[in-house]
Amino acid sequence: MNANTSRQHPAEWDQEAQLLSQTARDLPTGRHQFHKERLMAQIDEQVQQVQREEHTATTGATGMTAAAPQKARRFRLPRPAITLPAMAAALSAVVIAGVVTVGGDGSGVRDSGVATGPALTTDVGTASTKGVPQLLDQISLAAAEGDHPTVKPGQYIYIESVSADTFVKTVDDKSSLASHELHRRQIWESPDGVKGWLIDPAVNDGPEGETLSLPDEQGNTPKAHLGSPSYDYLTKLTTDPDELLAKIYKETKGQGNTPDQQAFTTIGDLLAESYPPAELYPALFEAAAKIPGVVVVDDAVDAAGRHGVAVARLDDTSGQREEWIFDKKTHVYLGARNVQVKQIKEEGILIKPGTVNFTMAIKNRAVVDGMKQTPSQAG
């Protein structure tokens, strides 16, 4: 694949997707998810680039040189593939179908080292706008009062989670919904985001994991940004909720299905696999309260089976409701999931209400003194 994909025209995407789907089976075990995640980041960059070009063509040249799009860092917590922007859907469908196809005798390479099972399902539950400001206020207060040590140079942010997802699986040209079974994920990252390590059977070649240290495999040292932040980057963000939300809208313009949904998703990603400074945590929830369409789901279950209350928003385009799950008493963040609320068809496959497209739970989040050190080892 051409590393400089941001210069490609959308008409070339299908050709590249066909080539990738033909070669996907030859990849070593465990590398499919890696390439899929990186491809999704590249698709997002392409979409933004096209929209920037369209905007320039509409408004006319300004004489100013636009900044090059920031390259997405790899190995962030995977997002469900069927929530891709519409412009990228055709390309992603070809690639995903290619990497999960196996022969009739069961031979062929799986798209990850994680076992598969039937599609994940749940009760859709009831969503209501009643009590949203009060709940977010309680969550914001709990976040401000919680223990949140500062990360020092030389230390690492450690996040342990469990996750699972539902996807379209094709066997002998017959497609159906399946899921990757619940699996453990551990990630370490330095405050500046330059050094890191990942252990995730859905991505890694072996159980020991692999480095996330930069530069990456193509020699790039991308800068941290809202879509892939380092701790140091987050310490520089404004803690004024209005200014923070305005920045999120501005920097995610053209991403996702709608500006409001993308803003909600961006904040949700910051809550999941990053470590916002103590001052920023309340601002994130106060900013979320200002996004139209935010609702409360009284009962939601994270990937670890813990029941909680969810702050959620329905994406009308995909029919999925993105949920951030919190403990009902302490209001501590537990995890997140995406639940299908409206029935849709993807690649000829019916995705019914109650399908859990993605689910995760945070098991541990801590500051440790060494790479691959866990809190229990430190204590």
Side-chain angles (χ1 to χ4, degrees), residues 79-94:
R79 304 293 303 172
I82 54 180
T83 62
L84 294 169
M87 290 182 67
L91 173 59
S92 63
V94 173

Side-chain angles (χ1 to χ4, degrees), residues 155-303:
Q155 291 185 311
Y156 290 86
I157 298 155
Y158 169 77
I159 300 175
E160 178 185 345
S161 61
V162 290
S163 64
D165 66 292
T166 295
F167 62 97
V168 176
K169 182 176 182 179
T170 300
V171 179
D172 287 341
D173 297 326
K174 294 181 180 179
S175 297
S176 61
L177 282 182
S179 69
H180 288 124
E181 292 185 352
L182 192 69
H183 60 279
R184 184 189 192 197
R185 175 180 171 97
Q186 296 170 282
I187 190 168
W188 291 259
E189 189 171 56
S190 60
D192 59 8
V194 173
K195 295 181 180 179
W197 195 267
L198 175 73
I199 300 177
D200 185 341
V203 176
N204 304 143
D205 290 333
E208 73 282 355
E210 57 190 286
T211 183
L212 301 182
S213 298
L214 300 173
D216 63 19
E217 293 178 348
Q218 278 134 11
N220 300 312
T221 305
K223 293 182 180 180
H225 56 94
L226 272 175
S228 185
S230 66
Y231 175 81
D232 289 349
Y233 172 85
L234 294 176
T235 62
K236 297 178 175 65
L237 287 180
T238 177
T239 56
D240 179 277
D242 292 308
E243 293 179 4
L244 179 60
L245 187 59
K247 179 181 178 64
I248 291 171
Y249 274 111
K250 180 180 179 181
E251 296 195 11
T252 62
K253 184 177 181 180
Q255 299 177 24
N257 290 323
T258 66
D260 291 334
Q261 188 64 37
Q262 185 57 38
F264 187 81
T265 295
T266 298
I267 294 175
D269 286 346
L270 293 178
L271 299 176
E273 200 168 82
S274 69
Y275 189 76
E279 299 79 12
L280 183 62
Y281 249 129
L284 289 171
F285 297 117
E286 291 170 28
K290 300 175 183 292
I291 300 174
V294 175
V295 297
V296 172
V297 179
D298 285 336
D299 186 51
V301 186
D302 71 5

Side-chain angles (χ1 to χ4, degrees), residues 295-336:
V295 297
V296 172
V297 179
D298 285 336
D299 186 51
V301 186
D302 71 5
R306 300 174 297 194
H307 286 256
V309 59
V311 176
R313 192 179 192 284
L314 175 64
D315 183 344
D316 287 324
T317 304
S318 68
Q320 293 186 43
R321 187 174 66 206
E322 181 176 341
E323 302 176 351
W324 311 337
I325 306 171
F326 299 86
D327 184 276
K328 290 184 178 181
K329 293 182 178 180
T330 66
H331 297 111
V332 170
Y333 178 82
L334 299 178

Side-chain angles (χ1 to χ4, degrees), residues 54-129:
E54 289 175 347
H55 177 73
T56 300
T58 301
T59 60
T62 63
M64 297 178 65
T65 303
Q70 294 171 317
K71 291 187 177 294
R73 293 169 59 79
R74 58 193 177 106
F75 294 129
R76 304 305 299 174
L77 194 66
R79 304 293 303 172
I82 54 180
T83 62
L84 294 169
M87 290 182 67
L91 173 59
S92 63
V94 173
V95 175
I96 294 171
V99 299
V100 300
T101 299
V102 297
D105 60 354
S107 62
V109 180
R110 290 189 300 177
D111 63 326
S112 75
V114 180
T116 59
L120 305 170
T121 59
T122 188
D123 292 330
V124 172
T126 303
S128 172
T129 56

